[in-house]
Amino acid sequence: MTYIAAENRYDTMPYRRVGRSGLKLPAISLGLWHNFGDDKPFEVQRAILRRAFDLGVTHFDLANNYGPPYGAAETNFGRHFKDDFKPYRDELIISSKAGYDMWPGPYGNFGSRKYLLASLDQSLERMGLDYVDIFYSHRPDPETPMEETMGALDHAVRSGKALYAGISSYTPQQTLEAARILKELGTPLLIHQPSYSMLNRWTENGSPNLYESLEQVGAGCIAFSPLAQGMLTGRYLNGVPADSRAAQHKSLDQAMISPENLDRVRGLNRIAEGRGQTLAQMAIGWILREQGKGSSVTSALVGASSVRQLEDTLSAINNLDFTADEVDAIDEFAVESDINLWKQK
Protein backbone atom coordinates (compact mmCIF):
# COMPACT_ATOMS: atom_id res chain seq x y z
CA MET A 1 0.00 0.00 0.00
CA THR A 2 1.14 3.54 -0.73
CA TYR A 3 2.55 5.11 2.42
CA ILE A 4 1.08 8.41 3.55
CA ALA A 5 2.72 9.88 6.63
CA ALA A 6 0.58 10.63 9.68
CA GLU A 7 -0.69 14.20 9.72
CA ASN A 8 0.06 14.55 13.43
CA ARG A 9 3.67 13.35 13.15
CA TYR A 10 5.10 16.53 14.67
CA ASP A 11 2.70 16.82 17.59
CA THR A 12 4.58 14.93 20.31
CA MET A 13 8.29 14.63 19.47
CA PRO A 14 10.48 17.41 20.89
CA TYR A 15 13.16 18.81 18.56
CA ARG A 16 16.46 20.19 19.80
CA ARG A 17 18.85 22.61 18.14
CA VAL A 18 22.20 21.10 17.17
CA GLY A 19 24.80 23.25 18.89
CA ARG A 20 24.75 26.77 17.50
CA SER A 21 23.61 25.66 14.04
CA GLY A 22 20.22 26.24 12.46
CA LEU A 23 19.44 22.50 12.39
CA LYS A 24 17.19 20.68 14.82
CA LEU A 25 17.08 16.94 15.50
CA PRO A 26 14.36 14.88 17.15
CA ALA A 27 15.14 14.11 20.77
CA ILE A 28 15.27 10.44 19.70
CA SER A 29 16.75 9.40 16.36
CA LEU A 30 16.66 5.97 14.71
CA GLY A 31 19.91 4.17 13.97
CA LEU A 32 20.11 1.44 11.34
CA TRP A 33 23.22 -0.24 12.72
CA HIS A 34 21.29 -3.44 13.43
CA ASN A 35 17.98 -4.77 12.08
CA PHE A 36 18.23 -3.33 8.56
CA GLY A 37 20.61 -5.79 6.94
CA ASP A 38 19.65 -8.74 4.77
CA ASP A 39 19.09 -10.88 7.88
CA LYS A 40 15.96 -8.90 8.79
CA PRO A 41 12.65 -9.26 6.89
CA PHE A 42 12.10 -6.32 4.59
CA GLU A 43 8.52 -5.85 5.73
CA VAL A 44 9.63 -5.60 9.37
CA GLN A 45 12.12 -2.91 8.39
CA ARG A 46 9.43 -1.04 6.51
CA ALA A 47 7.03 -1.15 9.44
CA ILE A 48 9.68 0.21 11.83
CA LEU A 49 10.67 3.08 9.52
CA ARG A 50 7.08 4.06 8.77
CA ARG A 51 6.08 4.03 12.43
CA ALA A 52 9.18 5.99 13.41
CA PHE A 53 8.40 8.78 10.96
CA ASP A 54 4.74 8.78 11.96
CA LEU A 55 5.89 9.40 15.55
CA GLY A 56 8.14 12.32 14.62
CA VAL A 57 11.48 10.60 14.13
CA THR A 58 12.92 12.61 11.25
CA HIS A 59 16.53 11.44 11.54
CA PHE A 60 17.72 8.09 10.16
CA ASP A 61 21.38 7.32 10.87
CA LEU A 62 23.44 4.90 8.77
CA ALA A 63 27.04 4.03 7.92
CA ASN A 64 28.70 2.45 4.91
CA ASN A 65 29.31 -0.94 6.56
CA TYR A 66 26.00 -1.42 8.38
CA GLY A 67 24.42 -4.73 7.46
CA PRO A 68 25.02 -7.61 7.24
CA PRO A 69 26.56 -7.78 4.73
CA TYR A 70 28.44 -4.50 4.50
CA GLY A 71 26.36 -1.92 2.65
CA ALA A 72 23.09 -3.82 3.04
CA ALA A 73 21.49 -1.35 5.44
CA GLU A 74 22.07 1.51 3.01
CA THR A 75 20.84 -0.56 0.06
CA ASN A 76 17.70 -1.59 1.95
CA PHE A 77 17.12 1.94 3.16
CA GLY A 78 17.43 3.11 -0.43
CA ARG A 79 14.54 0.81 -1.37
CA HIS A 80 12.46 2.10 1.54
CA PHE A 81 13.28 5.67 0.59
CA LYS A 82 12.23 5.12 -3.01
CA ASP A 83 9.01 3.32 -2.03
CA ASP A 84 7.91 5.40 0.97
CA PHE A 85 9.95 8.45 1.88
CA LYS A 86 11.00 10.19 -1.33
CA PRO A 87 8.06 12.64 -1.15
CA TYR A 88 9.25 13.57 2.37
CA ARG A 89 12.96 14.07 1.57
CA ASP A 90 12.96 17.66 2.78
CA GLU A 91 11.53 16.55 6.12
CA LEU A 92 14.28 13.99 6.72
CA ILE A 93 17.79 14.10 8.11
CA ILE A 94 19.76 11.19 6.63
CA SER A 95 23.31 10.60 7.79
CA SER A 96 26.09 8.23 6.87
CA LYS A 97 29.69 7.62 7.91
CA ALA A 98 33.00 6.17 6.79
CA GLY A 99 36.00 5.24 8.88
CA TYR A 100 35.74 1.55 9.71
CA ASP A 101 36.50 -1.46 7.53
CA MET A 102 34.45 -1.47 4.32
CA TRP A 103 36.32 -3.11 1.42
CA PRO A 104 39.59 -5.05 1.02
CA GLY A 105 42.95 -3.41 0.56
CA PRO A 106 44.57 -0.23 1.89
CA TYR A 107 41.89 2.20 0.66
CA GLY A 108 38.79 0.90 2.45
CA ASN A 109 39.42 1.82 6.08
CA PHE A 110 40.20 4.71 8.45
CA GLY A 111 40.39 8.37 7.43
CA SER A 112 42.14 9.07 4.15
CA ARG A 113 40.62 11.49 1.68
CA LYS A 114 40.49 8.70 -0.91
CA TYR A 115 38.51 6.37 1.35
CA LEU A 116 36.06 8.90 2.77
CA LEU A 117 35.08 10.47 -0.55
CA ALA A 118 34.89 7.17 -2.43
CA SER A 119 32.76 5.73 0.36
CA LEU A 120 30.42 8.72 0.29
CA ASP A 121 29.86 8.25 -3.45
CA GLN A 122 29.08 4.57 -2.87
CA SER A 123 26.69 5.37 0.00
CA LEU A 124 24.77 7.87 -2.12
CA GLU A 125 24.46 5.31 -4.91
CA ARG A 126 23.22 2.59 -2.55
CA MET A 127 20.61 4.88 -1.02
CA GLY A 128 19.59 6.56 -4.26
CA LEU A 129 20.27 10.02 -2.84
CA ASP A 130 21.79 13.18 -4.28
CA TYR A 131 23.18 14.14 -0.86
CA VAL A 132 23.22 13.13 2.79
CA ASP A 133 22.40 15.67 5.44
CA ILE A 134 25.31 14.71 7.69
CA PHE A 135 28.51 12.91 6.70
CA TYR A 136 30.77 11.68 9.50
CA SER A 137 34.34 10.65 9.99
CA HIS A 138 33.37 7.45 11.83
CA ARG A 139 36.51 7.33 13.95
CA PRO A 140 39.83 9.17 14.26
CA ASP A 141 42.74 7.81 12.23
CA PRO A 142 46.03 7.72 14.18
CA GLU A 143 48.10 7.72 10.97
CA THR A 144 46.28 10.10 8.61
CA PRO A 145 46.81 13.83 9.33
CA MET A 146 43.70 15.42 10.80
CA GLU A 147 43.94 18.07 8.08
CA GLU A 148 43.41 15.42 5.41
CA THR A 149 40.39 13.83 7.08
CA MET A 150 38.73 17.16 7.83
CA GLY A 151 39.60 18.35 4.34
CA ALA A 152 37.64 15.41 2.95
CA LEU A 153 34.60 16.37 5.06
CA ASP A 154 34.92 19.96 3.89
CA HIS A 155 35.06 18.77 0.26
CA ALA A 156 31.97 16.60 0.79
CA VAL A 157 30.03 19.66 1.95
CA ARG A 158 31.38 22.02 -0.72
CA SER A 159 30.58 19.48 -3.45
CA GLY A 160 26.94 19.38 -2.32
CA LYS A 161 27.11 15.68 -1.45
CA ALA A 162 26.63 16.46 2.25
CA LEU A 163 25.02 19.41 4.00
CA TYR A 164 26.91 19.14 7.29
CA ALA A 165 30.11 17.57 8.66
CA GLY A 166 30.30 15.36 11.75
CA ILE A 167 32.75 13.22 13.69
CA SER A 168 32.34 10.15 15.87
CA SER A 169 34.31 8.74 18.83
CA TYR A 170 36.86 11.56 18.83
CA THR A 171 38.35 12.55 22.20
CA PRO A 172 37.69 16.04 23.57
CA GLN A 173 41.09 17.26 22.40
CA GLN A 174 40.70 15.66 18.98
CA THR A 175 37.27 17.27 18.75
CA LEU A 176 38.72 20.72 19.42
CA GLU A 177 41.39 20.16 16.76
CA ALA A 178 38.92 18.84 14.19
CA ALA A 179 36.63 21.81 14.79
CA ARG A 180 39.52 24.25 14.47
CA ILE A 181 40.57 22.82 11.11
CA LEU A 182 37.02 22.73 9.78
CA LYS A 183 36.41 26.30 10.87
CA GLU A 184 39.53 27.44 9.02
CA LEU A 185 38.27 25.62 5.92
CA GLY A 186 34.89 27.32 6.23
CA THR A 187 32.81 24.25 7.10
CA PRO A 188 31.76 24.26 10.79
CA LEU A 189 31.69 21.05 12.78
CA LEU A 190 27.99 20.32 13.23
CA ILE A 191 27.90 17.33 15.56
CA HIS A 192 29.79 14.64 17.43
CA GLN A 193 28.46 11.09 17.79
CA PRO A 194 29.93 9.37 20.87
CA SER A 195 28.95 6.20 22.66
CA TYR A 196 27.28 7.17 25.93
CA SER A 197 25.08 5.39 28.43
CA MET A 198 24.55 4.91 32.14
CA LEU A 199 27.24 2.24 32.03
CA ASN A 200 29.60 4.12 29.68
CA ARG A 201 30.22 7.68 30.88
CA TRP A 202 33.57 8.55 29.29
CA THR A 203 32.14 11.70 27.72
CA GLU A 204 31.80 13.29 31.17
CA ASN A 205 35.47 12.82 32.06
CA GLY A 206 38.46 15.10 31.58
CA SER A 207 38.99 18.83 31.49
CA PRO A 208 37.58 19.88 29.21
CA ASN A 209 35.22 16.95 28.87
CA LEU A 210 33.55 16.20 25.56
CA TYR A 211 30.44 18.29 26.27
CA GLU A 212 32.51 21.28 27.31
CA SER A 213 34.56 20.94 24.14
CA LEU A 214 31.41 20.81 22.02
CA GLU A 215 29.99 23.84 23.80
CA GLN A 216 33.21 25.70 23.12
CA VAL A 217 33.06 25.04 19.36
CA GLY A 218 29.28 25.28 19.05
CA ALA A 219 28.65 21.68 17.99
CA GLY A 220 25.89 19.30 19.04
CA CYS A 221 25.99 15.76 20.38
CA ILE A 222 24.05 12.64 19.40
CA ALA A 223 24.70 9.69 21.71
CA PHE A 224 24.80 6.19 20.24
CA SER A 225 24.31 2.95 22.14
CA PRO A 226 22.41 4.73 24.97
CA LEU A 227 21.01 1.33 26.00
CA ALA A 228 24.52 -0.12 26.39
CA GLN A 229 24.16 -2.54 23.47
CA GLY A 230 20.93 -3.82 24.98
CA MET A 231 22.04 -4.24 28.59
CA LEU A 232 19.72 -1.41 29.66
CA THR A 233 16.61 -2.87 28.05
CA GLY A 234 15.91 -5.29 30.87
CA ARG A 235 16.59 -8.31 28.66
CA TYR A 236 19.45 -9.47 30.86
CA LEU A 237 17.86 -9.11 34.28
CA ASN A 238 17.49 -12.89 34.53
CA GLY A 239 20.40 -14.09 32.42
CA VAL A 240 21.29 -14.16 28.72
CA PRO A 241 18.35 -14.93 26.38
CA ALA A 242 19.17 -17.24 23.48
CA ASP A 243 18.10 -14.66 20.89
CA SER A 244 19.95 -11.73 22.48
CA ARG A 245 22.92 -9.82 21.07
CA ALA A 246 25.19 -11.32 23.72
CA ALA A 247 24.17 -14.88 22.86
CA GLN A 248 24.69 -14.16 19.15
CA HIS A 249 27.94 -12.24 19.72
CA LYS A 250 26.52 -9.07 18.11
CA SER A 251 28.27 -6.02 19.61
CA LEU A 252 27.90 -7.37 23.16
CA ASP A 253 30.32 -9.91 24.58
CA GLN A 254 28.88 -12.17 27.26
CA ALA A 255 31.92 -11.27 29.35
CA MET A 256 30.46 -7.77 29.70
CA ILE A 257 27.42 -9.23 31.45
CA SER A 258 29.37 -9.73 34.66
CA PRO A 259 27.74 -10.21 38.07
CA GLU A 260 28.77 -6.64 38.93
CA ASN A 261 27.16 -5.22 35.80
CA LEU A 262 24.01 -7.25 36.32
CA ASP A 263 23.73 -5.88 39.86
CA ARG A 264 23.98 -2.35 38.43
CA VAL A 265 21.33 -3.06 35.80
CA ARG A 266 18.99 -4.53 38.39
CA GLY A 267 19.50 -1.53 40.66
CA LEU A 268 18.69 0.83 37.81
CA ASN A 269 15.64 -1.23 36.92
CA ARG A 270 14.27 -0.78 40.44
CA ILE A 271 14.61 3.00 40.08
CA ALA A 272 12.87 2.89 36.69
CA GLU A 273 9.97 0.94 38.20
CA GLY A 274 9.65 3.61 40.85
CA ARG A 275 9.38 6.24 38.11
CA GLY A 276 6.72 4.23 36.28
CA GLN A 277 9.03 3.58 33.32
CA THR A 278 10.76 0.66 31.72
CA LEU A 279 14.51 0.53 32.18
CA ALA A 280 15.01 1.44 28.52
CA GLN A 281 12.74 4.48 28.85
CA MET A 282 14.61 5.72 31.89
CA ALA A 283 17.98 5.12 30.25
CA ILE A 284 16.94 7.25 27.25
CA GLY A 285 15.44 9.92 29.49
CA TRP A 286 18.66 10.06 31.51
CA ILE A 287 20.70 10.53 28.33
CA LEU A 288 18.48 13.49 27.40
CA ARG A 289 18.40 15.06 30.87
CA GLU A 290 19.48 18.65 31.34
CA GLN A 291 22.98 18.51 32.81
CA GLY A 292 23.69 22.21 32.84
CA LYS A 293 25.50 24.53 30.45
CA GLY A 294 27.79 22.65 28.11
CA SER A 295 26.73 19.21 29.28
CA SER A 296 23.69 18.17 27.31
CA VAL A 297 22.90 15.67 24.57
CA THR A 298 20.99 16.87 21.51
CA SER A 299 19.54 13.49 20.51
CA ALA A 300 19.65 9.87 21.64
CA LEU A 301 20.31 7.41 18.81
CA VAL A 302 18.39 4.16 19.30
CA GLY A 303 17.82 0.97 17.38
CA ALA A 304 14.65 -1.09 17.12
CA SER A 305 13.97 -4.68 16.13
CA SER A 306 10.19 -4.28 16.10
CA VAL A 307 7.49 -1.63 16.07
CA ARG A 308 6.59 -2.53 19.63
CA GLN A 309 10.16 -2.01 20.82
CA LEU A 310 10.35 1.28 18.94
CA GLU A 311 7.14 2.57 20.52
CA ASP A 312 8.30 1.53 23.98
CA THR A 313 11.59 3.37 23.54
CA LEU A 314 10.02 6.52 22.08
CA SER A 315 7.72 6.72 25.10
CA ALA A 316 10.77 7.93 27.01
CA ILE A 317 9.97 11.47 25.83
CA ASN A 318 6.96 11.45 28.14
CA ASN A 319 9.18 11.75 31.22
CA LEU A 320 12.55 13.43 30.80
CA ASP A 321 12.62 15.08 34.23
CA PHE A 322 14.65 13.73 37.15
CA THR A 323 14.63 14.88 40.74
CA ALA A 324 17.94 15.43 42.53
CA ASP A 325 17.25 12.35 44.65
CA GLU A 326 16.65 10.24 41.53
CA VAL A 327 19.90 11.45 39.96
CA ASP A 328 21.79 10.57 43.13
CA ALA A 329 20.17 7.14 43.29
CA ILE A 330 20.99 6.48 39.63
CA ASP A 331 24.60 7.57 40.11
CA GLU A 332 25.06 4.78 42.66
CA PHE A 333 24.60 2.23 39.87
CA ALA A 334 25.40 4.24 36.72
CA VAL A 335 29.16 3.83 36.77
CA GLU A 336 31.85 2.86 34.28
CA SER A 337 31.35 -0.83 33.49
CA ASP A 338 34.07 -1.59 30.92
CA ILE A 339 31.66 -1.94 27.98
CA ASN A 340 32.97 0.78 25.67
CA LEU A 341 33.82 -1.11 22.47
CA TRP A 342 34.92 2.11 20.77
CA LYS A 343 37.49 3.26 23.31
CA GLN A 344 40.72 4.36 21.66
CA LYS A 345 43.54 2.02 22.48
Side-chain angles (χ1 to χ4, degrees), residues 126-144:
R126 282 190 290 267
M127 292 188 284
L129 301 176
D130 296 324
Y131 67 93
V132 292
D133 295 273
I134 307 170
F135 184 55
Y136 289 89
S137 166
H138 207 166
R139 63 171 169 172
D141 183 343
E143 297 182 349
T144 298

Side-chain angles (χ1 to χ4, degrees), residues 201-212:
R201 301 181 66 168
W202 71 272
T203 54
E204 301 173 22
N205 301 328
S207 183
N209 66 29
L210 182 62
Y211 303 113
E212 292 165 342

Side-chain angles (χ1 to χ4, degrees), residues 112-132:
S112 72
R113 180 184 182 92
K114 180 172 179 61
Y115 172 43
L116 265 60
L117 295 180
S119 179
L120 176 56
D121 285 342
Q122 292 179 20
S123 291
L124 292 175
E125 183 175 358
R126 282 190 290 267
M127 292 188 284
L129 301 176
D130 296 324
Y131 67 93
V132 292

Side-chain angles (χ1 to χ4, degrees), residues 46-66:
R46 170 175 287 161
I48 293 170
L49 290 169
R50 287 180 172 184
R51 187 59 175 152
F53 190 53
D54 283 347
L55 292 173
V57 177
T58 55
H59 179 207
F60 298 144
D61 179 82
L62 300 103
N64 55 358
N65 63 358
Y66 288 175

